[in-house]
Amino acid sequence: MVRRKIVWSQIALEDKIQIYSYWFNELNNHSYGKKLEKLFNKSIETLAIYPRSGRLTEHKYTRARVVKHYILYYQFSENTITILRVWDARQDPNKLKL
């Protein structure tokens, strides 16, 4: 089994910061952001081994993995998983730009 290297795009990192900031600052929930981080990491570790386990999307070469109310959009190659976005699925999908 090949374990691919995980690479976060700049916008995916910004997505995560915005999500954690919302839970921490707006809702004063200090633990949920940490819980989400663990869930994201667990899901990504699975993708690193089984990259085809995410569902296909309408975007060429892009797959998606649902984690709670969020969608991890990613692409993969033989050696790398690139996380493109961490999208809150409760947002308007027409605003998503990959």
Side-chain angles (χ1 to χ4, degrees), residues 1 3-4 8 10 24-25 28 38 43 46 59 61 64-65 72 94-95 97:
M1 253 182 262
R3 187 192 176 288
R4 289 157 182 82
W8 288 83
Q10 184 62 41
F24 186 80
N25 295 322
N28 202 26
K38 288 180 184 178
S43 192
T46 301
H59 303 282
Y61 305 117
R65 178 73 170 254
L72 301 173
N94 294 321
K95 293 182 180 179
K97 294 185 176 136

Side-chain angles (χ1 to χ4, degrees), residues 13-55:
L13 290 172
E14 291 169 9
D15 289 341
K16 279 198 329 178
I17 289 168
Q18 184 177 8
I19 290 164
Y20 300 153
S21 177
Y22 172 77
W23 285 101
F24 186 80
N25 295 322
E26 299 295 323
L27 299 179
N28 202 26
N29 188 330
H30 301 265
S31 62
Y32 195 69
K34 292 176 186 177
K35 179 180 178 179
L36 280 175
E37 178 73 9
K38 288 180 184 178
L39 290 171
F40 291 155
N41 288 339
K42 183 177 179 181
S43 192
I44 290 167
E45 287 300 317
T46 301
L47 292 176
I49 299 169
Y50 305 104
R52 288 181 175 82
S53 64
R55 66 177 167 83

Side-chain angles (χ1 to χ4, degrees), residues 11 15 57-64 71-75 83-87 95-98:
I11 194 160
D15 289 341
T57 68
E58 64 278 0
H59 303 282
K60 193 171 185 177
Y61 305 117
T62 302
R63 290 180 174 258
I71 303 172
L72 301 173
Y73 287 95
Y74 69 96
Q75 294 177 337
I83 309 300
L84 304 172
R85 294 295 307 257
V86 182
W87 184 256
K95 293 182 180 179
L96 175 64
K97 294 185 176 136
L98 293 177

